[in-house]
Amino acid sequence: MSLSPKERLLDTLAKKKVDRPPVICTGGMMNAAVVDVMTRTGHTLPEGHFRSNLMAELATDVNHDTGFENFGIPFCMTVEAEVLGSEIDFGTLACEPKIAREPFASNAQVQFRTIDRMLESGRIRQVAEAALLLSRSNPDVPVIGSITGPVSTAASIVDPMTFLKELHKKREDSHRVLDYVSEFLISFARLLVDGGASAICIGDPTATGEILGPRLFQEYAVTYLNKVIDGIHATGVPVLVHICGEMKAVKPSIPKLHSDAISTDAFVNLKLLKEEYPQLTTMGNLSTFLLELGDPDKVSRHTAGLVRDGIDIISPACGLSTASAVGNIQAMTQTVKDGGRGW
Amino acid sequence: MSASEQELFQRLSDAVVEMDEDESVAVANEVVERGIDAYRAIEQGLSAGMERAGQLFDEEEYFIPELLMCSDAMYAGMDVLKPHLRSDDVAEKRKVVIGVVEGDTHDIGKNLVKIMLETSGFAVTDLGRDIPPARFVETAKEIGADIIALSTLMTTTMEGMGAVVRQLSEEGIRDRFKVIVGGGPISQGFADRIGADGYAVNAADAIRLARALVAPAEAAA
């Protein structure tokens, strides 16, 4: 009896025994809508960032062409910042959207909007509708709703240099903004769950040990990631968290995260992390450089290594380049589906 | 040098390391009031403090927020002392054009490198973020830069760095500038591939690299 992709992912996240690890790419920071896929199908970005049906079609194309065993939406990290007030540059076919301008010079200047009103603006409803379309058309494939983590979202609406300094200098202001942002993220994630998302993935690239250091990581990143995670757990779906960069400085904080799986950058040794903290469900971490610049053989070999190391969920390590060849991605997903055999 | 002068320089240095803007301004004012040489106060006080801060960053005692606050304290003291520099203190500085390449707006890393370069005595022209290749080249020519420093956090925009090097070559002016690159997805291998002169893994490393690249030719000879 074989598991459906959704069962396999949810069982893995529930720490149940499965036949083999799932191979996924969550969307958001880990957007797998590569140029190869878009040129084949004609479902393209940046248009796909705005319309639910196109977003769902493109997510379906990605699932079909790459072999990743999920749908991952949205394809960017700017949905949240947009409705919180940032100016967005929506990018091009090959280049993902980014923040063009942060509207607030400091945490104290942040204007608090009503959450209900934000949920009705920007692209929030489009993403939720795309989740609904996808979950209805393919009930066996998990829809993963990707959201931007609280620290990164806050640093997308407040000038990032000032934001980082105020974590020290103006703690009260910082906590107030992070709390507000976290409340909004929970509501957004719940909307995606209502739409049929099977899991939520949080990518928080500003909340790294390299940027914040251990003390601020614990005080802010762990606190607000957990707040968001707890808020999502209340809806009954699991949460995956991706931590960017070198993790050495913040490793003791990692088991304190309430997430159901932890994903890391390529240079973190997940096997050792798991040995040290056996309670963690690990996810990752095939080098995205390899996926972009390597060849299918090498991709397969490295993927098989991850499977052999007992990594629980196989996934690209960090942001996937839109120039990555679909053949390389297929080599990755097929190797996992073959149980990492042949190498 | 009198002991008290030395003491003031030490306090300036400490104010920077301890991220204390008010103290930095207060001590700088004291330096001015007592007619102590502003140039030496900057060199042996503020810059020395920033160097210590950079060291702490290297040792992972300090992280980015702390380094930014140190630099605020340094600039605050600098603003007080600068008007009191004698004209012969202002030596010709090596020039750097820095910016984040087109398509990317992540500039924390670039800002750190800029701060550290300025602290280390470079004159830095900061183009900002999302900068097309041609602007780097134009500005470098315009100001007679020694170094062009390119930053990006995104894999999708890395190629813009190669475009800068290519344009320099096409215009026949490649050897007039040193091109250095850095940022999350960048590696020494990538720097070599696009023909850059160097790669730095972080802000402290960027300073070492910049200094080495503009050092008199004896090292290369």
Side-chain angles (χ1 to χ4, degrees), chain A residues 89 94-102 160-161 164-165 167-169 206 209-214 216 248-249 289 292-293 319-322, chain B residues 19 21 57 60 63-66 68-69 71-72 102-108 111-112 115 129-130 153-158 184-186 193:
Chain A
D89 172 345
C95 192
E96 50 270 60
K98 65 230 170 226
I99 309 299
R101 206 180 56 85
E102 300 85 9
M161 305 292 274
L164 289 175
K165 285 185 277 191
L167 294 178
H168 267 294
K169 276 202 294 199
T206 307
E210 285 174 298
I211 294 179
L212 298 180
L216 296 180
K248 212 167 50 217
F289 295 108
E292 182 182 6
L293 305 166
L320 189 61
S321 167
T322 52
Chain B
M19 307 173 255
E21 262 181 75
F57 179 70
E60 297 191 0
F63 291 85
I64 292 177
E66 291 82 12
L68 291 175
M69 289 170 66
S71 77
D72 274 2
E102 188 167 26
D104 193 355
T105 56
H106 300 93
D107 60 359
I108 293 173
N111 291 339
L112 273 187
I115 290 164
R129 53 199 208 182
D130 200 7
L153 191 71
M154 293 162 73
T155 45
T156 38
T157 52
M158 288 160 66
I186 308 303
R193 204 155 50 240

Side-chain angles (χ1 to χ4, degrees), chain B residues 20-97:
Chain B
D20 191 339
E21 262 181 75
D22 295 342
E23 166 78 357
S24 174
V25 169
V27 181
N29 277 321
E30 207 176 323
V31 166
V32 172
E33 276 158 29
R34 292 177 48 184
I36 296 168
D37 183 24
Y39 181 78
R40 281 178 34 233
I42 292 174
E43 278 291 297
Q44 297 174 37
L46 297 174
S47 292
M50 207 55 209
E51 192 138 327
R52 283 164 63 202
Q55 180 86 33
L56 290 169
F57 179 70
D58 240 5
E59 293 164 358
E60 297 191 0
E61 275 298 314
Y62 277 9
F63 291 85
I64 292 177
E66 291 82 12
L67 203 56
L68 291 175
M69 289 170 66
C70 291
S71 77
D72 274 2
M74 176 199 68
Y75 284 126
M78 200 82 104
D79 285 344
V80 175
L81 294 171
K82 251 189 185 160
H84 301 278
L85 285 174
R86 295 192 311 266
S87 57
D88 57 334
D89 284 338
V90 190
E92 186 63 16
K93 288 182 171 179
R94 296 294 196 156
K95 292 177 185 156
V96 182
V97 177

Side-chain angles (χ1 to χ4, degrees), chain B residues 92-168:
Chain B
E92 186 63 16
K93 288 182 171 179
R94 296 294 196 156
K95 292 177 185 156
V96 182
V97 177
I98 194 168
V100 177
V101 298
E102 188 167 26
D104 193 355
T105 56
H106 300 93
D107 60 359
I108 293 173
K110 180 268 294 173
N111 291 339
L112 273 187
V113 174
K114 175 195 166 187
I115 290 164
M116 296 305 284
L117 281 170
E118 283 184 340
T119 316
S120 314
F122 287 87
V124 183
T125 302
D126 182 5
L127 294 177
R129 53 199 208 182
D130 200 7
I131 305 301
R135 280 251 338 262
F136 285 103
V137 177
E138 273 161 38
T139 311
K141 287 195 288 194
E142 212 172 279
I143 67 164
D146 298 281
I147 293 176
I148 302 175
L150 308 169
S151 162
T152 191
L153 191 71
M154 293 162 73
T155 45
T156 38
T157 52
M158 288 160 66
E159 209 16 66
M161 296 180 164
V164 172
V165 177
R166 273 198 306 281
Q167 187 177 340
L168 292 171

